[in-house]
Amino acid sequence: MSEATAAQTVDESALVVRQLNDGILRLTLNNPTANALSIAMMDAMKAALDEAGTDPDVRVVVIAAAGKVFSAGHDLKELTARRADKDRGRAFFEQTMRQCSEMMMTITRLPKPVIAEVDGLATAAGCQLVATCDLAMCTDTSTFCTPGVNIGLFCSTPMVAVSRGAHRKQAMEMLLTGEPIDASSAKEFGLVNRIVPREYLRTVSDKYASAIASKSALTLKIGKEAFYQQIERPLAEAYDYTAWVMTENMLARDAEEGISAFLEKRDPKWTGR
């Protein structure tokens, strides 16, 4: 890791604050109080993720937020203002939903693990963002909800990520009632991995990120892609696919090095090949 990686100038006025340290890239939503996923916010996040995907110094991405709200989802004021358009906002609404979906798929397709670090409320598309990340850590005072049904707008796109992260009936409970759930319920439902007191959130997410960053970048890329590819496939097809993936993985230099290091009781030296 280069010395430049450890210390970089941070633009604290940016919608998404980017900070890279020891292979861990922190992307902080920086438009409190709501940290709404406006067009500008989604543009900034998508650009940061695209850059992270090709930056060899980035090993793991952590998505955090400034303020007391992780993200309140789409900017309803931005959306409502377009009802004055000739098409009553149809084109803008479609642009917003498709742009959000593309941002979420960018996280899933990113060849590096992504961790959500949640302190506060994650609602609607903000909850979708948490559910989309590969791992999620939250404070014991965080809450989660998909409240669209309360305002006549079912959380259909958030449903895609929530229904894949949470158990089916729990996902439907959130979607049909619109009621917030606490951190303990979010963990029980399957939306988050760990719950910690606020003062330890950064420490815990950094611990997980550092552990992941110490692995072979190539192996993580192979494994993350295989996870999402196999999970929606029928059982036999999933095994056929992952057997092929493991065969190809075994032929990688990093696998050869990792196995040799294990057998020789030494630390591996990853080359990303």
Side-chain angles (χ1 to χ4, degrees):
M1 199 65 60
S2 65
E3 290 293 331
T5 305
Q8 296 192 358
T9 302
V10 177
D11 180 3
E12 295 183 353
S13 66
L15 277 176
V16 175
V17 175
R18 183 183 187 278
Q19 189 170 21
L20 179 61
N21 186 37
D22 292 334
I24 303 170
L25 175 66
R26 293 183 66 83
L27 299 178
T28 303
L29 302 176
N30 189 39
N31 191 25
T33 55
N35 288 314
L37 297 181
S38 62
I39 290 292
M41 178 69 86
M42 291 189 292
D43 278 342
M45 179 59 74
K46 176 71 162 55
L49 290 167
D50 285 340
E51 184 179 348
T54 58
D55 186 345
D57 284 336
V58 175
R59 308 294 292 274
V60 184
V61 177
V62 175
I63 298 179
K68 297 180 180 180
V69 176
F70 178 77
S71 176
H74 292 302
D75 189 332
L76 295 180
K77 291 182 178 179
E78 182 178 67
L79 291 167
T80 298
R82 302 304 290 265
R83 290 194 183 278
D85 295 353
K86 290 183 178 180
D87 62 355
R88 297 185 59 239
R90 175 183 290 273
F92 185 76
F93 300 160
E94 182 174 1
Q95 176 192 352
T96 299
M97 302 310 162
R98 290 192 180 279
Q99 187 168 340
C100 183
S101 298
E102 184 60 34
M103 184 188 75
M104 300 298 173
M105 288 191 290
T106 298
I107 292 172
T108 302
R109 293 168 178 165
L110 201 74
K112 291 133 190 218
V114 182
I115 301 172
E117 182 184 286
V118 185
D119 179 19
L121 175 66
T123 180
C127 186
Q128 177 184 3
L129 178 56
V130 176
T132 299
C133 291
D134 304 307
L135 300 176
M137 313 295 160
C138 76
T139 58
D140 49 11
T141 56
S142 293
T143 53
F144 306 80
C145 64
T146 50
V149 68
N150 296 331
I151 58 171
L153 182 66
F154 202 84
C155 284
S156 297
T157 47
M159 174 174 64
V160 175
V162 172
S163 65
R164 283 162 169 75
H167 308 301
R168 182 173 297 186
K169 282 186 169 55
Q170 281 88 346
M172 283 296 283
E173 176 184 329
M174 294 179 68
L175 293 159
L176 293 174
T177 68
E179 295 296 316
I181 61 171
D182 61 16
S184 294
S185 295
K187 187 173 186 295
E188 178 186 342
F189 285 15
L191 288 176
V192 301
N193 297 87
R194 295 286 182 270
I195 304 169
V196 297
R198 177 176 287 118
E199 60 267 29
Y200 298 120
L201 179 62
R202 176 71 179 264
T203 300
V204 171
S205 60
D206 280 352
K207 176 183 175 182
Y208 276 81
S210 295
I212 294 168
S214 70
K215 315 302 186 214
S216 158
L218 175 65
T219 303
L220 293 173
K221 175 183 177 181
I222 292 170
K224 178 173 174 176
E225 180 181 4
F227 179 87
Y228 291 110
Q229 285 287 330
Q230 64 82 27
I231 200 164
E232 300 298 331
R233 299 189 184 201
L235 186 63
E237 185 180 331
Y239 272 121
D240 284 343
Y241 167 70
T242 52
W244 173 79
V245 170
M246 285 205 74
T247 300
E248 294 299 309
N249 195 169
M250 275 293 293
L251 294 171
R253 295 298 185 187
D254 273 2
E256 183 177 359
E257 164 64 10
I259 293 169
S260 295
F262 174 78
L263 294 174
E264 295 165 12
K265 296 181 172 55
R266 60 175 175 82
D267 292 334
K269 296 179 180 179
W270 309 123
T271 60
R273 295 185 292 120

